[in-house]
Amino acid sequence: MTRISDETRRKVVRAYIQDGRTITSLVAEYGISRATVSNWVRSYREECQNNDEEKSQLEMMEELRRLRRKKPT
């Protein structure tokens, strides 16, 4: 099994939370399982509960996603 870098994990989590990418699209792009993506996102959200800096980062990513959704096309 190939070890996936921390950088790739962060990219996947950010793509899901901030960019609103679907798990299906991330699975196809990165060749990882649905469970892996879900676990990474869950772990990141749990980490944010104990780390104020990460919690702030999560809030910014979620706000960017909300703003992009509101933006008229």
Side-chain angles (χ1 to χ4, degrees):
M1 178 181 241
T2 305
R3 167 118 165 81
I4 299 171
S5 71
D6 290 340
E7 180 181 346
T8 298
R9 289 175 195 226
R10 284 190 298 271
K11 284 181 184 179
V12 170
V13 169
R14 180 179 295 271
Y16 180 78
I17 295 172
Q18 179 177 305
D19 301 336
R21 297 272 307 272
T22 64
I23 289 179
T24 302
S25 71
L26 294 166
V27 165
E29 181 175 342
Y30 290 93
I32 52 180
S33 72
R34 295 178 66 80
T36 297
V37 175
S38 295
N39 288 339
W40 289 350
V41 171
R42 186 184 70 248
S43 293
Y44 179 70
R45 289 183 187 279
E46 288 172 359
E47 178 185 338
C48 291
Q49 299 303 312
N50 300 317
N51 183 322
D52 289 339
E53 186 175 326
E54 289 298 326
K55 185 175 183 177
S56 176
Q57 186 71 18
L58 173 63
E59 290 169 352
M60 286 191 298
M61 286 191 287
E62 290 173 336
E63 181 64 15
L64 280 170
R65 183 176 180 180
R66 280 191 292 275
L67 291 172
R68 286 181 180 148
R69 283 184 176 168
K70 287 183 177 181
K71 185 177 177 181
T73 55

